[in-house]
Amino acid sequence: MELPITSDPSPAPLPAEKPLLILEELISLLLPHSAPLQETRRGSDRLNLYENNELMVALVTGGNVNIYHRPGMMLLATARAPFIFGLQGSLFQYELFKFMPTKDAKISVMPREKALRIVIKHHAFPQLLTYQTFINDYQAHRNNLLINRTSLHIVCGLLEELAKIRPEERHKISVAKYILERSNLARSGVMKIIATLREEGFIIMENGKLIQCVKAFPESSLAKPSGKPGRKAHLTS
């Protein structure tokens, strides 16, 4: 039985690029007043942003931090250095999400109150608000990507994310693993979608790694029958 790729609204738009200059400015401002996070303090390799009844700010200057949704441990995002956690001071988010640094991560921490005093002293609130806007937009993007979207658009959105990673790092990442870790989609469905996108010339892959997104992802073009049984992917929302 042939299962056609469905047509629905265009894939979720990507948020703005990370404001690197502003982020680096904030980190350079705060880093001299922070302390390196020791491996032994991480506790099962987890980054804690609430310690001893005190909210903390974490400055990620090297490596990555994976962010998981606790209930299902779905990987929501990978924060790549440079990055700052904790400026929003949300206990709710710290309980909802789990922050797992990679082994090569370089992180320094400081109390949030101290960080905010420094920001105020150096009149850096415009930079802080710009960075927080980026964080909020990314969270909204993640919700927009996963809520009420077909499998096709979830896969395409995650492929667009993957394509933005630097080639030297991206070429080490399995496309299937990247998508499956960040969604609740079935493996069989994901593999069918990837195969169809390759066949229709939307992406170039080698050895399971994404080389390039060749053209804009489909809205309705893939809904047209290809005449090749078994090569069409069934996409469910």
Side-chain angles (χ1 to χ4, degrees), residues 22 56 127 218:
I22 285 175
M56 305 297 291
Q127 294 91 323

Side-chain angles (χ1 to χ4, degrees), residues 30 33 49-50 52-58 85-89 94 109-121 125 128:
L30 299 174
H33 307 278
L49 297 176
Y50 187 67
N52 301 320
N53 296 319
E54 189 172 35
L55 292 166
M56 305 297 291
V57 166
F85 289 102
L87 287 173
Q88 65 269 34
Y94 306 155
V109 295
M110 63 189 303
R112 180 173 180 266
E113 288 189 7
K114 182 178 180 181
L116 292 181
R117 286 198 301 268
I118 294 171
V119 168
I120 293 171
K121 178 180 178 181
F125 256 112
L128 185 149

